[in-house]
Amino acid sequence: MTSRDLERASALLESTILADGHNDLPWELRDLAGPDPADAAHGLDLTIRQPALHTDLVKLREGKLGLQFWSVYVPCSFEGHSAVTAVLEQIEVVHQLAERYPEHLALVTTADEAEAAFADGKIASLLGAEGGHSIAESLGVLRILRRLGVRYMTLTHNYNTSWADSGTDEPVHDGLSEFGRDVVREMNRIGMLVDLSHVAPSTMRAALDVSAAPVIFSHSSCIAVNDHPRNIPDDVLERLPGNGGVAMVTFVPGFISPAVTEWDHQLKAAMAEAGQDHRDLAQRGKFAASWDGPPKPKATVEDVVAHVEHAREVAGIDHIGLGGDYDGVAELPQGLEDVSKYPVLFAALLERGWSEEDCAKLAGRNTLRVLRDVDKYTR
């Protein structure tokens, strides 16, 4: 790409909200400082560059982020009441971050509030709960999360819940149980976005059958480009225009690059032989660090572009967005190593002939429209 393309991309993102569907900084801070939300929020100074993190306020500003969904993720090892406690702690981490950095972050819950924060020079901060196990089978807890500002919930993480099938577990519910359908209906009623990243294709289809409101994929890419269970099949992408939803393409190397996926298959087999569970992210990271297998290939910006363009072709320009998954994985593609690199992706798209209007839709306009549309179903 040329310097001119990069200048155009940066100028575009100065005037158009760039929305990212998924960032795991809150859990990364918890890992570094412990479970107390105050310790997590105050353990590092995010106003200076933190080389160990993909995300800090310096990089967020360089990347032109205008709207960030902060993941209030809870690992599947937390169950029942412990999962509820952990998700509440993670919500408090984000609240503490907003209080510590009021000149940079503004907690918002609506598209109008996000636009007002952006106009005020702040990063609009929304919450997304990653993993339906965090409600411990309670619609009451689901409603509480919404009252606390959580705008989406990912129905599963890497394991099935008691009511929904994950894309990386053995299916048992044919998508959703009857309670799972009730969860989707209740999410529609209270204005919480149904996030279908991580779930099985059968769960995606079942949720689309039930949901009257638009759904999202907060951080998933396209199966047709790379056959990975965390990606979206074309028949599901084709249903998004009818539903009004948005597929937010992710940057996770294992999801976007066939070469990295093949390497990951070998890692999974080695872990299984050693009696370890590839779905457990902590186990996976430790095992990979000491594994004597082949070197891990590198994903690139071009891999991300391939998924974005495929999603545009199948779902349409009005139904795509971005969800990088920064600080949720060990590494990112070359050229997109941290959140400061978003202009690089848009420069690559402009170089390929994307219009600034289409780039603006991808960047954030589609996500803002979904937020507004979902609010219409709230009762």
Side-chain angles (χ1 to χ4, degrees):
M1 72 193 69
T2 66
S3 59
R4 173 61 180 151
D5 291 323
L6 196 55
E7 290 171 4
R8 286 179 64 204
S10 295
L12 172 71
L13 299 178
E14 289 283 353
S15 60
T16 297
I17 289 183
L18 170 58
D20 179 280
H22 194 88
N23 185 300
D24 277 303
L25 177 65
W27 190 266
E28 189 71 5
L29 295 176
R30 178 185 176 118
D31 260 355
L32 292 170
D36 184 273
D39 292 343
H42 292 265
L44 292 174
D45 182 356
L46 297 180
T47 64
I48 62 176
R49 198 176 298 275
Q50 296 290 342
L53 298 175
H54 300 143
T55 310
D56 54 48
L57 291 166
V58 180
K59 299 186 192 95
L60 285 167
R61 293 302 195 181
E62 291 175 352
K64 312 296 184 183
L65 266 294
L67 186 159
Q68 180 65 69
F69 280 96
W70 300 107
S71 172
V72 288
Y73 159 70
V74 176
C76 294
S77 56
F78 289 75
E79 298 178 337
H81 297 309
S82 68
V84 177
T85 299
V87 76
L88 294 176
E89 290 170 342
Q90 291 309 100
I91 291 169
E92 179 62 12
V93 170
V94 181
H95 280 262
Q96 294 254 348
L97 288 172
E99 290 175 4
R100 185 178 181 190
Y101 305 109
E103 68 278 23
H104 294 285
L105 305 177
L107 277 176
V108 305
T109 60
T110 69
D112 285 350
E113 290 171 353
E115 289 180 332
F118 180 69
D120 199 30
K122 298 180 181 181
I123 299 165
S125 296
L126 296 96
L127 304 174
E130 187 176 24
H133 59 290
S134 63
I135 65 169
E137 303 179 5
S138 168
L139 294 181
V141 171
L142 179 72
R143 297 180 195 113
I144 290 167
L145 296 187
R146 179 65 184 89
R147 285 188 187 275
L148 293 174
V150 176
R151 280 311 315 252
Y152 75 65
M153 183 175 74
T154 320
L155 299 188
T156 72
H157 192 244
N158 286 346
Y159 295 80
N160 298 336
T161 65
S162 62
W163 46 270
D165 287 331
S166 168
T168 49
D169 204 346
E170 293 299 319
V172 295
H173 303 296
D174 193 26
L176 291 170
S177 71
E178 190 52 46
F179 178 74
R181 291 177 171 83
D182 288 342
V183 170
V184 171
R185 295 184 189 104
E186 186 64 6
M187 292 175 73
N188 285 177
R189 189 188 73 79
I190 63 178
M192 187 181 283
L193 284 73
V194 177
D195 178 20
L196 300 180
S197 285
H198 277 286
V199 307
S202 57
T203 310
M204 299 175 192
R205 297 174 187 122
L208 283 165
D209 288 342
V210 173
S211 184
V215 304
I216 65 166
F217 292 82
S218 67
H219 58 308
S220 295
S221 292
C222 306
I223 278 182
V225 180
N226 185 38
D227 189 6
H228 189 286
R230 275 286 282 103
N231 288 340
I232 313 167
D234 275 2
D235 71 285
V236 174
L237 288 171
E238 288 168 356
R239 293 183 64 176
L240 287 184
N243 167 264
V246 167
M248 299 178 180
V249 173
T250 194
F251 304 167
V252 180
F255 304 167
I256 63 171
S257 164
V260 178
T261 295
E262 175 54 34
W263 177 89
D264 197 51
H265 287 326
Q266 296 177 52
L267 174 69
K268 182 178 180 180
M271 289 185 68
E273 187 175 342
Q276 297 198 40
D277 189 343
H278 183 267
R279 297 169 299 178
D280 186 308
L281 298 182
Q283 283 190 37
R284 189 192 307 178
K286 290 178 182 177
F287 187 90
S290 60
W291 185 41
D292 61 356
K296 188 175 183 178
K298 299 290 186 181
T300 66
V301 176
E302 287 71 28
D303 289 318
V304 177
V305 168
H307 286 270
V308 170
E309 293 198 321
H310 182 82
R312 179 181 66 165
E313 179 181 347
V314 178
I317 188 59
D318 296 319
H319 302 282
I320 57 175
L322 299 168
D325 203 9
Y326 284 105
D327 283 301
V329 290
E331 61 182 28
L332 279 299
Q334 292 177 326
L336 295 171
E337 292 87 353
D338 58 53
V339 296
S340 72
K341 304 296 186 180
Y342 263 106
V344 173
L345 173 61
F346 284 89
L349 295 173
L350 290 168
E351 183 185 39
R352 291 176 66 85
W354 279 53
S355 69
E356 292 193 5
E357 175 69 16
D358 283 359
C359 284
K361 289 183 176 184
L362 173 72
R365 288 185 190 171
N366 293 338
T367 299
L368 290 170
R369 189 259 308 158
V370 164
L371 276 169
R372 289 192 168 96
D373 288 350
V374 167
D375 285 343
K376 296 174 185 176
Y377 292 86
T378 304
R379 301 194 304 276

